[in-house]
Amino acid sequence: MTNVRTGRPFPLAGTLDLRLTVKTAKEGTLMSPLLPVPVSAEDRSSCAAADVLRRTGDKWSVLLMAVLAQRPYGFNELDRAVDGLSRRILTRTLRALVRDGLVDRTPNSGPAARVDYALSDLGRSLLPLIIEVGRWAETHEHDIRNARARYDADGEVC
């Protein structure tokens, strides 16, 4: 699969088994698509799915995970590999990904102390799902653009 805008292939495209198994949630489990209404702040804050979606929905996490899926990178290599990402945001994003267990951080001793970052096993298990969402977005890109154009033309307000 290639990126429509750049013409370049996506990292790992076509190399992963993307079969998705959906399990039925137990009653009362917040992972169920049927949340109790009204949805409380406690329901939202305790939902594991919402937590993962917040992490993967930020501007840089998925991009860094895709880069790190190719091979381990040092901090400076990552800084050069992703255009437009400030060192401050790179640091914050890597810390969050390491904290969530999606990226491994390995300090290396020696004359030139270096820290390597690599996608963890947990991160690798999430990546196929993220890729599938990306495929869905590409498949439905025109539908979404058309819906936005209709909405904007109607001047409809929710």
Side-chain angles (χ1 to χ4, degrees):
M1 173 184 301
T2 59
N3 184 317
V4 176
R5 289 178 191 84
T6 65
R8 294 185 305 183
F10 281 115
L12 303 179
T15 62
L16 298 171
D17 181 2
L18 295 174
R19 286 176 279 168
L20 177 62
T21 303
V22 178
K23 296 181 180 178
T24 305
K26 294 179 184 174
E27 186 174 325
T29 300
L30 294 176
M31 293 297 291
S32 170
L34 302 174
L35 292 173
V37 176
V39 179
S40 71
E42 183 181 342
D43 292 336
R44 288 191 317 274
S45 67
S46 64
C47 180
D51 189 43
V52 170
L53 290 171
R54 275 190 291 277
R55 167 66 41 234
T56 58
D58 72 24
K59 187 172 181 179
W60 300 106
S61 291
V62 170
L63 179 62
L64 287 174
M65 288 175 65
V67 170
L68 292 171
Q70 296 173 21
R71 66 175 178 85
Y73 279 79
F75 182 87
N76 290 327
E77 287 179 296
L78 280 172
D79 186 37
R80 289 186 299 269
V82 182
D83 188 40
L85 175 57
S86 72
R87 293 175 71 86
R88 179 177 155 263
I89 298 301
L90 175 59
T91 299
R92 291 171 86 193
T93 305
L94 285 170
R95 281 184 185 154
L97 290 168
V98 169
R99 181 175 183 254
D100 289 346
L102 300 172
V103 168
D104 291 327
R105 179 184 186 274
T106 308
N108 297 307
S109 58
R114 171 188 164 111
V115 175
D116 284 324
Y117 295 91
L119 198 61
S120 68
D121 290 340
L122 186 62
R124 286 191 186 285
S125 72
L126 178 59
L127 199 56
L129 302 173
I130 293 169
I131 290 170
E132 193 60 28
V133 169
R135 287 184 177 152
W136 180 91
E138 280 194 336
T139 300
H140 296 285
E141 180 179 17
H142 296 293
D143 299 325
I144 293 168
R145 284 185 188 189
N146 291 338
R148 287 175 181 167
R150 282 191 310 273
Y151 180 90
D152 293 345
D154 291 344
E156 206 173 304
V157 178
C158 292

